[in-house]
Structure formats: C-alpha cells, structure tokens
Amino acid sequence: PASHMKPKTLVEVAKEIGQQDSVSVKTMNRKQAEADGWRAFLAVASGSAEEPYIIHLTYKPAQPARKKMVLIGKGITFDSGGLSLKPAQSMEDMKIDMAGAATVLGVFSVLPKLNLPVEVHGIIAACENMPSGTAYRPGDIIEARSGKTIEVSNTDAEGRVTLADALHYATELTPDAIVDLATLTGACVVGLGETVAGLFGNDEKLNDSLLAASAASGEQLEDLPLPPEYKQLIESKVADVRNATDNHPYGGAITAALFLQEFVDKTPWAHVDIAGPSYMDKPLIPYWQYGGTGYGVRTLIEFLKRV
C-alpha cells in the first residue's frame, strides 16, 4: 500500500538492483528534476508532500550492444485523482498505479543474469497524485519538457502527463525503440477486460515483435488502433494538446495513447496499457491470485531476447 510504497521506496529498490554488475542507477529529486525541465511531471507531483523522483536505470552488456532500447514505467505510487478527485471506492486499489514502474524494475532485476547483447534503459517518473492547496488544477496550462504546452482538463488523467516528460527524455537517448507500460485507462479495461493488455504504437514492426513476445510468454496482449481522426478530441484552444477529452465518453484508451504519441517525435514507440492485467482481485487465471501480477516482465524479457 501507499503508506509503505512511496516514490523514495522505488528509488531504494532501484538502487538495490543497481548493485548488480552491468546495471547502474541515477536519480533526480524535485530540485534536480526542475533544473532538467520536468515541468509536466512536477505539476502532477505538486499536490503531494512526498518527494518525487526520476529514476534512470541502465544495463550495458559486456559485449557490444546490438540495439539500444528504452523501457518506461508509470510510477504513480498513489492516485487520488488530484483535485478531480476519484470516488472513494475507486481510490481503494490505487496503490497499483505504479505497476508499470514495478514491471521495469522486475526486468532490470534479471537482466544481468541473462547477459543479453542489448543496451537497455529504464525510466520511472515516481510521484503521488494528491489534492492540496499546492496541487495542479483543471484549466492549468503546463509546459512539458519538450516545450509543448498541455491544457489540463482533468487532473485524474495524470499518468499521461508524467509520461510526456519521460517519453521526451527517452527520445534524447536516441534509442532504437521506446516501450512504455502504464496503468493508464479504465477504458482499456472496459474494452479488453482484466487479463488482456492493450498495445498501441507508431511502428508496425515493433508492435509485431511485442505481440510475438507476449504470445511466447503467455501474457495476453491485443493490438489496438491509433486513428488519426481521433486527435481532434484532444485538441486545445489554448495549448498544443489537452490531457483528456471534453466529456467525450468513447475511445478513452485511444485518445490517451494519441496524447503520448505527441511526445515521441519519430522514434519507434509502443505503449502498453496494463490497467487490466496488472492487478487481480479474483483469480481469473489460476497462477494470478490476489494482488499484483507482474504483468509485462516476461513479455519484455522475451522481447529483449529477440531484439
């Protein structure tokens, strides 16, 4: 639970993983992240008394690397919805909103044992989304790290705002591909249920590789579209993009992915919405009992083996 799993806890786990050969870790606190331009991320973090952190893990193989890959995990350790407050019942399981970060940490915990000839970076922007007198507000306009401006129409669409800065940071590493994992939308759970994740991306070859890896690993993943005509649903009159649609009830997982696409430029990128299969409250699959499932670790390991 969030009382025991705070952003600094993720930092501690990352540093423990970083003690292995071939893995290094660097972190940024609030002041350092501000100096590095993480304005969108820090807007989300502004309502919480907990210190936010950027975590950057790097795995470098002993042999020359064939490719450079970046994995990004959403790291909201508790999501109240912010000032766009969730109903109480909807908050109860919001300790799971750092499941993407947990998946990235899980991958890095085993990478040194596999000795894969791939350079891998793991990025986690860890914070809480809380309401307070310092919290960001509906109607605010935020300048992201990339320079694009974001109109905040809903503070509960916070994960994509933190990922905007993380994705732009990842592009600066000039990777061959970026894969992000996030408990991003309830809409994806409505469409695919609780055992299947949704896959979006701008590169067909990358998507096919992830689908093949998921099939081999036994984790269910479904390819979903990014119709360009839906981009108008996140257009803003006062900024470059809105973080949520204006009371439009359909296609929420798609519009969230289209928002993320605004921050990857032309880098091959895939987004995996793990809101459904990251956490179980009933054993729909026999080996997934109550709690976190670790969804994505096996798929990403299989994906990296095949790179």
Side-chain angles (χ1 to χ4, degrees):
S3 55
H4 294 273
M5 176 63 71
K6 303 177 185 298
K8 65 181 179 182
T9 315
L10 293 178
V11 171
E12 291 164 2
V13 173
K15 287 183 175 178
E16 185 176 342
I17 292 170
Q19 292 175 8
Q20 300 179 92
D21 291 340
S22 307
V23 177
S24 61
V25 179
K26 70 175 183 179
T27 64
M28 286 184 268
N29 59 23
R30 190 191 303 266
K31 185 175 180 181
Q32 292 165 328
E34 185 176 5
D36 198 51
W38 293 69
R39 292 173 291 269
F41 163 67
L42 291 174
V44 174
S46 64
S48 174
E50 293 295 331
E51 181 79 359
Y53 289 95
I54 308 300
I55 303 167
H56 182 169
L57 303 103
T58 304
Y59 165 75
K60 289 193 175 181
Q63 66 269 51
R66 290 199 302 252
K67 295 283 182 69
K68 183 195 291 187
M69 314 300 289
V70 178
L71 310 177
I72 299 174
K74 177 183 170 183
I76 304 295
T77 56
F78 185 75
D79 181 17
S80 69
L83 291 177
S84 303
L85 196 67
K86 294 178 183 288
Q89 189 173 5
S90 299
M91 270 190 242
E92 289 179 10
D93 292 337
M94 281 301 103
K95 61 187 178 183
I96 73 169
D97 224 11
M98 40 64 69
T103 295
V104 171
L105 292 171
V107 170
F108 273 83
S109 72
V110 296
L111 273 179
K113 301 179 182 69
L114 300 173
N115 196 31
L116 303 178
V118 184
E119 182 178 327
V120 187
H121 295 260
I123 312 299
I124 298 166
C127 69
E128 291 184 329
N129 183 27
M130 298 289 281
S132 74
T134 59
Y136 78 134
R137 298 156 292 250
D140 280 359
I141 297 174
I142 303 162
E143 183 183 3
R145 193 175 184 276
S146 67
K148 286 190 175 182
T149 52
I150 301 168
E151 179 188 0
V152 178
S153 59
N154 188 329
T155 65
D156 195 22
E158 86 298 330
R160 67 199 70 179
V161 177
T162 67
L163 289 169
D165 280 351
L167 287 164
H168 180 256
Y169 179 83
T171 64
E172 294 180 345
L173 300 173
T174 61
D176 292 286
I178 299 170
V179 181
D180 78 73
L181 297 98
T183 47
L184 207 65
T185 66
C188 199
V189 187
V190 171
L192 297 178
E194 297 171 281
T195 65
V196 186
L199 172 65
F200 303 85
N202 64 1
D203 185 278
E204 187 174 350
K205 184 178 178 181
L206 175 60
N207 276 19
D208 288 345
S209 296
L210 287 164
L211 290 168
S214 74
S217 71
E219 294 182 318
Q220 297 185 79
L221 184 62
E222 189 67 30
D223 199 7
L224 296 174
L226 284 174
E229 64 269 22
Y230 287 13
K231 285 186 179 181
Q232 62 189 293
L233 297 174
I234 53 170
E235 288 178 353
S236 169
K237 294 185 175 71
V238 292
D240 293 316
V241 66
R242 289 166 59 97
N243 79 323
T245 61
D246 186 13
N247 298 318
H248 189 83
Y250 308 117
I254 293 173
T255 52
L258 285 168
F259 175 92
L260 297 180
Q261 190 177 18
E262 293 288 318
F263 300 92
V264 296
D265 198 18
K266 295 181 180 179
T267 306
W269 155 79
H271 160 59
V272 183
D273 193 328
I274 62 172
S278 63
Y279 182 82
M280 289 289 111
D281 59 9
K282 58 183 72 68
L284 296 175
I285 296 176
Y287 52 86
W288 281 358
Q289 297 299 307
Y290 176 80
T293 65
Y295 181 95
V297 174
R298 288 178 294 167
T299 293
L300 289 178
I301 289 296
E302 188 64 33
F303 166 70
L304 293 171
K305 284 180 178 179
R306 295 164 177 241
V307 169

